[in-house]
PDB file of all heavy atoms in Angstrom:
ATOM      1  N   VAL A 116      90.316  14.333  68.293  1.00 98.00           N
ATOM      2  CA  VAL A 116      90.708  14.026  66.926  1.00 98.00           C
ATOM      3  C   VAL A 116      92.222  13.867  66.809  1.00 98.00           C
ATOM      4  O   VAL A 116      92.989  14.518  67.521  1.00 98.00           O
ATOM      5  CB  VAL A 116      90.206  15.121  65.961  1.00 98.00           C
ATOM      6  CG1 VAL A 116      90.925  16.442  66.198  1.00 98.00           C
ATOM      7  CG2 VAL A 116      90.336  14.683  64.510  1.00 98.00           C
ATOM      8  N   PHE A 117      92.631  12.984  65.920  1.00 98.00           N
ATOM      9  CA  PHE A 117      94.054  12.843  65.597  1.00 98.00           C
ATOM     10  C   PHE A 117      94.182  12.481  64.121  1.00 98.00           C
ATOM     11  O   PHE A 117      93.280  11.903  63.523  1.00 98.00           O
ATOM     12  CB  PHE A 117      94.742  11.794  66.479  1.00 98.00           C
ATOM     13  CG  PHE A 117      94.136  10.417  66.413  1.00 98.00           C
ATOM     14  CD1 PHE A 117      94.567   9.481  65.485  1.00 98.00           C
ATOM     15  CD2 PHE A 117      93.122  10.055  67.302  1.00 98.00           C
ATOM     16  CE1 PHE A 117      94.021   8.206  65.438  1.00 98.00           C
ATOM     17  CE2 PHE A 117      92.563   8.780  67.262  1.00 98.00           C
ATOM     18  CZ  PHE A 117      93.007   7.857  66.328  1.00 98.00           C
ATOM     19  N   GLY A 118      95.301  12.855  63.518  1.00 98.00           N
ATOM     20  CA  GLY A 118      95.517  12.638  62.095  1.00 98.00           C
ATOM     21  C   GLY A 118      96.031  11.248  61.783  1.00 98.00           C
ATOM     22  O   GLY A 118      96.713  10.619  62.589  1.00 98.00           O
ATOM     23  N   VAL A 119      95.667  10.778  60.593  1.00 97.00           N
ATOM     24  CA  VAL A 119      96.111   9.475  60.094  1.00 97.00           C
ATOM     25  C   VAL A 119      96.645   9.677  58.682  1.00 97.00           C
ATOM     26  O   VAL A 119      95.991  10.325  57.865  1.00 97.00           O
ATOM     27  CB  VAL A 119      94.952   8.457  60.082  1.00 97.00           C
ATOM     28  CG1 VAL A 119      95.409   7.130  59.494  1.00 97.00           C
ATOM     29  CG2 VAL A 119      94.399   8.252  61.478  1.00 97.00           C
ATOM     30  N   PRO A 120      97.816   9.145  58.353  1.00 96.00           N
ATOM     31  CA  PRO A 120      98.379   9.374  57.014  1.00 96.00           C
ATOM     32  C   PRO A 120      97.624   8.612  55.936  1.00 96.00           C
ATOM     33  O   PRO A 120      96.910   7.642  56.210  1.00 96.00           O
ATOM     34  CB  PRO A 120      99.814   8.856  57.149  1.00 96.00           C
ATOM     35  CG  PRO A 120      99.740   7.827  58.231  1.00 96.00           C
ATOM     36  CD  PRO A 120      98.701   8.327  59.201  1.00 96.00           C
ATOM     37  N   THR A 121      97.779   9.072  54.712  1.00 95.00           N
ATOM     38  CA  THR A 121      97.174   8.369  53.579  1.00 95.00           C
ATOM     39  C   THR A 121      98.080   8.494  52.370  1.00 95.00           C
ATOM     40  O   THR A 121      98.782   9.494  52.218  1.00 95.00           O
ATOM     41  CB  THR A 121      95.776   8.928  53.256  1.00 95.00           C
ATOM     42  OG1 THR A 121      95.161   8.118  52.235  1.00 95.00           O
ATOM     43  CG2 THR A 121      95.843  10.365  52.759  1.00 95.00           C
ATOM     44  N   VAL A 122      98.091   7.459  51.540  1.00 92.00           N
ATOM     45  CA  VAL A 122      98.783   7.475  50.254  1.00 92.00           C
ATOM     46  C   VAL A 122      97.722   7.262  49.189  1.00 92.00           C
ATOM     47  O   VAL A 122      96.876   6.380  49.316  1.00 92.00           O
ATOM     48  CB  VAL A 122      99.851   6.363  50.177  1.00 92.00           C
ATOM     49  CG1 VAL A 122     100.371   6.209  48.753  1.00 92.00           C
ATOM     50  CG2 VAL A 122     100.997   6.674  51.129  1.00 92.00           C
ATOM     51  N   THR A 123      97.760   8.060  48.152  1.00 87.00           N
ATOM     52  CA  THR A 123      96.733   8.000  47.126  1.00 87.00           C
ATOM     53  C   THR A 123      97.225   7.223  45.914  1.00 87.00           C
ATOM     54  O   THR A 123      98.146   7.652  45.219  1.00 87.00           O
ATOM     55  CB  THR A 123      96.325   9.417  46.700  1.00 87.00           C
ATOM     56  OG1 THR A 123      95.920  10.120  47.862  1.00 87.00           O
ATOM     57  CG2 THR A 123      95.163   9.372  45.730  1.00 87.00           C
ATOM     58  N   ASP A 124      96.599   6.081  45.663  1.00 85.00           N
ATOM     59  CA  ASP A 124      97.048   5.193  44.601  1.00 85.00           C
ATOM     60  C   ASP A 124      96.988   5.858  43.234  1.00 85.00           C
ATOM     61  O   ASP A 124      97.894   5.709  42.415  1.00 85.00           O
ATOM     62  CB  ASP A 124      96.199   3.922  44.589  1.00 85.00           C
ATOM     63  CG  ASP A 124      96.351   3.118  45.862  1.00 85.00           C
ATOM     64  OD1 ASP A 124      97.123   3.544  46.739  1.00 85.00           O
ATOM     65  OD2 ASP A 124      95.696   2.073  45.988  1.00 85.00           O
TER      66      ASP A 124
END
Side-chain angles (χ1 to χ4, degrees):
V116 68
F117 58 90
V119 177
T121 186
V122 169
T123 304
D124 297 359

